[in-house]
Amino acid sequence: MAGSRGRRLRGGLTGAMVCSLALLLGGCGVLSTKNDRKRAAELAERQYPGVLDVLSARTLFPQTGGSEVSFSVADDADAVVRLRIDAAAGTCGQRACDRALDEAVRRGRSEAGALRRMRSAFTACGYEAIALSQDLATPWIAAAPTNATITRLLAEVGACVRRWSPARDETGTPTAARSVTVNIVAPDLARGRPAGKPSWPTAMRMTDGKLLAALSERPYYSATYTVRDGTVDAASGTASLFRPWAYQRAFATTVQDAVGGWLHASDPGAEVRTYQGFWRLEPGTVDRFRGYVLFCDHPRGVRPCLGDHAVAVTTDPKGNPIGEFRIIRDVREDGGRIRLPPE
């Protein structure tokens, strides 16, 4: 009898664990999108008959309930309408669902219009926008900049951004934007990018998470432009390189080992802390980086070395130093803040 009860207990625990896993994956009914999807479809047919068609639904985990339902729009192949809905609670983002759907449709159509303006601007100046960040602020293009072409590329992309004019909304009113960034991915990576489903609206395909992950799986450049008084300064472009974690870690290890070896040759007790901050490309290059490695003169016992001094370094893209090192002493203030000269 005890054995039977033990088996029942183990069976119950196993079932609970299976259901817990299913909850994470959308099972056991609690995180199912079925009811939310059905309610959203009914709402759309009542308010926008023949206009909206449900494409997909995803749970809003870790929220306790509700889904985000995405619709295509019959008369706009670029637009996607996203509605947050909780059928069990009878609400849509804590609002009445009819008003929430009206706002979602307005927003989806407006974003589609902005997407068309952006794509048209880049096409007109010779570059195809192949993706867009999920906040709709950062386009991706394909190019292969070199030291000989980076200055011209920044100017050309700046002309695209100025034509696009993301510093003003659709009414011409200046936005809060202080800068605009365009990501630049290698052409071979762009050619092999996920295309998304043909049935998806353009806005859904260009912001798809799998697409953005594929484009950022290797280092890529970003061009950033300053916004002044609602106008993009096309000549203000600066380039930077962003590395995925594995590339960043390899870069850090290489540059730290090189600086540590150089310091230890004259001061065996020196302790290298870390490479510091954002490494900048030398103007007019895509393969020379300037930055700092922090260090302490000697081990500090129980007190950790945070870095009292810095070594200014120029490296290649892999972190191998180029040229001479330069020590900058006493870079840390009493309050712990680091003050480094611009490089």
Side-chain angles (χ1 to χ4, degrees):
M1 189 166 187
S4 175
R5 189 171 65 193
R7 284 192 295 273
R8 287 198 301 270
L9 177 60
R10 287 193 298 273
L13 288 173
T14 302
M17 287 187 290
V18 169
C19 190
S20 295
L21 177 60
L23 285 175
L24 292 175
L25 300 176
C28 287
V30 177
L31 297 183
S32 171
T33 63
K34 182 179 179 180
N35 290 339
D36 293 333
R37 183 176 180 135
K38 179 182 178 182
R39 173 68 181 125
E42 293 170 348
L43 183 68
E45 185 57 29
R46 185 176 72 245
Q47 288 185 232
Y48 295 91
V51 176
L52 301 181
D53 186 35
V54 174
L55 289 168
S56 63
R58 66 176 184 88
T59 58
L60 295 176
F61 184 83
Q63 294 178 212
T64 56
S67 307
E68 182 181 81
V69 179
S70 296
F71 303 86
S72 60
V73 181
D75 57 354
D76 191 336
D78 295 322
V80 59
V81 171
R82 293 185 172 94
L83 176 71
R84 293 196 165 195
I85 183 168
D86 187 342
T91 61
C92 294
Q94 299 181 340
R95 300 175 58 191
C97 285
D98 54 349
R99 290 188 302 168
L101 182 58
D102 286 341
E103 172 58 24
V105 170
R106 187 205 64 76
R107 184 172 58 250
R109 289 188 182 278
S110 175
E111 289 174 350
L115 173 64
R116 283 189 287 271
R117 290 192 296 274
M118 182 272 292
R119 295 180 74 197
S120 176
F122 277 86
T123 299
C125 62
Y127 292 94
E128 178 192 4
I130 61 174
L132 186 62
S133 61
Q134 291 184 335
D135 64 0
L136 309 181
T138 306
W140 291 72
I141 64 171
T146 65
N147 289 348
T149 64
I150 184 60
T151 300
R152 174 170 55 83
L153 176 63
L154 287 174
E156 291 174 348
V157 174
C160 299
V161 175
R162 189 179 182 92
R163 183 189 293 262
W164 168 30
S165 194
R168 295 178 181 270
D169 63 21
E170 57 194 10
T171 69
T173 303
T175 68
R178 294 292 176 264
S179 63
V180 180
T181 296
V182 178
N183 291 334
I184 304 169
V185 68
D188 66 312
L189 201 57
R191 285 191 293 270
R193 69 188 185 274
K197 296 181 180 179
S199 60
W200 288 355
T202 309
M204 180 176 278
R205 283 187 280 109
M206 290 189 68
T207 59
D208 180 41
K210 290 182 179 179
L211 168 61
L212 298 176
L215 294 178
S216 59
E217 69 181 15
R218 290 182 358 210
Y220 61 90
Y221 295 97
S222 286
T224 301
Y225 299 85
T226 302
V227 174
R228 295 185 178 90
D229 299 323
T231 300
V232 175
D233 183 353
S236 66
T238 57
S240 55
L241 181 73
F242 286 85
R243 303 177 181 89
W245 168 242
Y247 290 85
Q248 187 78 348
R249 183 174 56 185
F251 177 91
T253 298
T254 300
V255 71
Q256 284 182 200
D257 287 350
V259 172
W262 179 75
L263 286 170
H264 293 157
S266 58
D267 183 2
E271 182 179 351
V272 174
R273 171 58 181 169
T274 183
Y275 78 107
Q276 175 68 21
F278 183 78
W279 284 66
R280 290 173 173 81
L281 281 164
E282 284 191 356
T285 76
V286 294
D287 60 1
R288 295 291 184 271
F289 298 85
R290 296 175 181 173
Y292 301 93
V293 175
L294 300 183
F295 73 98
C296 300
D297 285 321
H298 50 76
R300 322 193 102 194
V302 295
R303 182 184 171 190
C305 166
L306 299 178
D308 299 324
H309 319 294
V311 178
V313 187
T314 299
T315 77
D316 68 11
K318 293 185 177 181
N320 298 302
I322 299 168
E324 297 181 355
F325 297 143
R326 178 166 59 91
I327 292 179
I328 306 168
R329 305 197 71 84
D330 302 318
V331 298
R332 189 175 296 278
E333 298 178 340
D334 290 340
R337 183 177 179 181
I338 293 287
R339 283 197 176 275
L340 293 166
E343 284 290 320

